[in-house]
Amino acid sequence: MEFKHIDKGENGVVLALEDDVQHGDISYFGNGNNQITIDHTGVESFARGRGIAKALLKEVVNIARDKQWKIVPQCPFAQAEFDKNASYADVLAPS
């Protein structure tokens, strides 16, 4: 699995690709003050059950760490993963 980050300024998307076929994506938008909101996580039906959504979220968390961003996990999947995974606490935006 390869991840491709498409940076659109304050907005962006990370694609999960295998043999140039998109298996999933996660998108975010900027809120200002070095903060982003994850608003969508999706995996194609043929690729579900392989941990792709978790891998996409981890990729965005790594990008956020590199850029010193904080994350607002708005989409239900991202919110659930932030609730379960204490290792993401360093990039969680204050509520």
Side-chain angles (χ1 to χ4, degrees):
M1 190 68 48
E2 173 191 355
F3 298 102
K4 181 177 181 180
H5 180 212
I6 301 171
D7 187 352
K8 301 175 183 178
E10 288 192 4
N11 304 327
V13 63
V14 176
L15 307 176
L17 304 168
E18 192 168 79
D19 298 325
D20 292 326
V21 175
Q22 183 174 324
H23 288 228
D25 66 300
I26 187 167
S27 60
Y28 63 85
F29 61 88
N31 301 334
N33 297 323
N34 290 325
Q35 194 175 95
I36 62 168
T37 294
I38 296 174
D39 60 342
H40 166 80
T41 306
V43 175
E44 299 296 332
S45 58
F46 67 83
R48 291 191 179 137
R50 296 178 37 202
I52 294 171
K54 286 183 181 183
L56 284 163
L57 179 60
K58 185 175 180 181
E59 190 72 16
V60 172
V61 166
N62 289 336
I63 291 166
R65 286 179 176 140
D66 287 344
K67 296 184 179 271
Q68 298 181 347
W69 291 343
K70 296 295 183 183
I71 297 173
V72 176
Q74 183 180 52
C75 89
F77 174 80
Q79 181 62 60
E81 289 301 306
F82 267 80
D83 290 345
K84 289 189 279 188
N85 196 334
S87 70
Y88 293 160
D90 64 311
V91 293
L92 181 62
S95 38

